[in-house]
Amino acid sequence: MQGLVTKSTGSWYSVIAENGERYECRIKGKLRIKGIVSTNPVAVGDIVTFELEPDQETGVISKIEPRKNYIIRKSINLSKQAHIIAANMDQAFLVVTLASPRTSLGFIDRFLVTAEAYHIPAALIFNKLDLFSAEGLEILDDFMSIYENIGYPCYAVSANDGTNIDIVENLLKDKTTLFSGHSGVGKSSLINKIIPDIAIKTGEISDWSDSGKHTTTFAEMYDLPFGGKLIDTPGIRELGIFDIDKKQLAHYFPEFRERMHECKFNNCVHINEPGCAVLKALEEGEIEPSRYDSYLSIYHGNETRN
């Protein structure tokens, strides 16, 4: 049988078969994806082939169909391994907060670079709009304009009072969408507003670290009442970039990509080469310094940038 993986708990996977039935499945032996050393060979969103175990209601996954795309990150403690966050999505939304907890520009940029590298359209959802003062709203506008100016859609919402939730629902309709972000940004509250029937557990912000406590422990896919699917993922503390060639990195920054052909040298890496169009644009204020800092950080292999 073939089916869609809708939940992964590490060793067991929930699979919805073509007949609409849900089966709990495990992996057959050493199932590995060619070329990817990952901590989770099967991810939510995968289409898999499985068979039922004799006299059991559980199944065994024997094959993963080729993926259209996936979002991947470096495993926290295993630098040579990766963790696939989800597969086969139409778009990826990063839920962002400017405070309680703060989402850094470096984290946003790493997420967008990963989405670009795997050809996944991305957008930013700025949550907790109800908490902003007049000054805060100005800062929010500045943040949003950094990304809108380079082509990433940005939306300001409040899961708390429902502001602009209808806009997000329209974006989700009839698509498979990944929701990601730090713990504590209100991802679960947002999903509860969009799909009231599922009541995902939400957590408090931890006082001592101003970061969220993990409430979603495993990735899970939900059917949207108005059509489409939403993949909820555990809060990500850090997003280690995995398997992106340094020489290709600039291609995943849209504002670099559109100027690279003007560089004097074909193999320009936009760091200190003469006649570099990217450095010229940076000097002239056409490229945001925070974006260039993120580029350098990823290029030099730094794991994080605040």
Side-chain angles (χ1 to χ4, degrees), residues 24 68 81 92 129 173 178 184 214 222-223 226 235 270 282:
E24 295 304 312
K68 171 174 84 172
Q81 289 208 344
L129 192 55
K173 189 171 166 31
L178 172 78
H214 294 279
Y222 299 101
D223 286 321
F226 41 81
H270 324 294
L282 178 68

Side-chain angles (χ1 to χ4, degrees), residues 52-65:
L52 291 181
E53 298 185 81
D55 306 319
Q56 301 277 331
E57 290 180 11
T58 53
V60 178
I61 295 169
S62 56
K63 185 183 173 204
I64 302 166
E65 294 304 310

Side-chain angles (χ1 to χ4, degrees), residues 17-292:
E18 289 165 323
N19 62 7
E21 292 289 318
R22 179 190 292 272
Y23 299 96
E24 295 304 312
C25 297
R26 55 193 179 82
I27 294 173
K28 184 176 187 177
K30 290 272 182 198
L31 185 64
R32 287 286 174 266
I33 303 294
K34 211 165 156 184
I36 302 175
V37 183
S38 80
T39 54
N40 60 327
V42 176
V44 168
D46 273 330
I47 304 291
V48 296
T49 301
F50 69 101
E51 56 205 41
L52 291 181
E53 298 185 81
D55 306 319
Q56 301 277 331
E57 290 180 11
T58 53
V60 178
I61 295 169
S62 56
K63 185 183 173 204
I64 302 166
E65 294 304 310
R67 293 171 172 144
K68 171 174 84 172
N69 57 37
Y70 52 88
I71 286 259
I72 192 168
R73 69 183 180 113
K74 207 177 266 190
S75 288
I76 293 164
N77 299 320
L78 302 159
S79 63
K80 294 209 167 25
Q81 289 208 344
H83 180 80
I84 297 163
I85 296 170
N88 299 324
M89 69 216 78
D90 298 314
Q91 54 188 3
F93 289 179
L94 185 67
V95 183
V96 170
T97 44
L98 298 193
S100 296
R102 173 178 162 268
T103 306
S104 70
L105 292 172
F107 182 85
I108 294 171
D109 293 339
R110 284 165 183 275
F111 183 86
L112 295 176
V113 162
T114 303
E116 287 279 342
Y118 296 97
H119 312 291
I120 302 162
L124 302 177
I125 310 286
F126 288 83
N127 191 21
K128 306 193 181 180
L129 192 55
D130 54 301
L131 301 181
F132 283 90
S133 61
E135 187 190 358
L137 288 171
E138 285 179 24
I139 295 167
L140 177 65
D141 278 346
D142 290 344
F143 263 62
M144 288 173 69
S145 66
I146 289 173
Y147 294 99
E148 286 173 335
N149 289 343
I150 50 176
Y152 291 108
C154 295
Y155 306 94
V157 307
S158 168
N160 199 28
D161 63 19
T163 306
N164 295 337
I165 298 297
D166 56 330
I167 294 172
V168 178
E169 289 177 349
N170 286 334
L171 298 167
L172 298 173
K173 189 171 166 31
D174 299 331
K175 294 191 169 172
T176 297
T177 308
L178 172 78
F179 259 45
S180 196
H182 287 318
S183 295
V185 294
K187 198 162 44 69
S188 298
S189 302
L190 202 52
I191 295 169
N192 284 337
K193 268 278 191 289
I194 294 162
I195 321 172
D197 299 344
I198 59 171
I200 301 173
K201 202 168 83 184
T202 58
E204 300 301 313
I205 300 292
S206 145
D207 289 336
W208 59 271
S209 68
D210 199 31
S211 62
K213 297 171 183 170
H214 294 279
T215 47
T216 304
T217 37
F218 302 108
E220 185 161 7
M221 180 186 281
Y222 299 101
D223 286 321
L224 294 165
F226 41 81
K229 295 178 187 301
L230 189 154
I231 303 172
D232 183 25
T233 56
I236 301 173
R237 223 178 265 285
E238 293 171 1
L239 188 65
I241 296 287
F242 183 79
D243 204 23
I244 289 179
D245 183 350
K246 277 184 179 187
K247 295 186 187 110
Q248 295 298 312
L249 179 60
H251 289 272
Y252 307 132
F253 284 75
E255 67 273 47
F256 290 23
R257 191 166 61 222
E258 66 185 38
R259 294 174 168 90
M260 283 163 46
H261 65 280
E262 297 167 21
C263 289
K264 184 176 175 184
F265 300 108
N266 283 339
N267 60 350
C268 185
V269 294
H270 324 294
I271 293 177
N272 51 21
E273 296 86 347
C276 172
V278 169
L279 289 175
K280 182 169 181 262
L282 178 68
E283 250 171 62
E284 292 173 357
E286 292 168 17
I287 285 178
E288 197 65 41
S290 66
R291 292 278 293 166
Y292 186 71

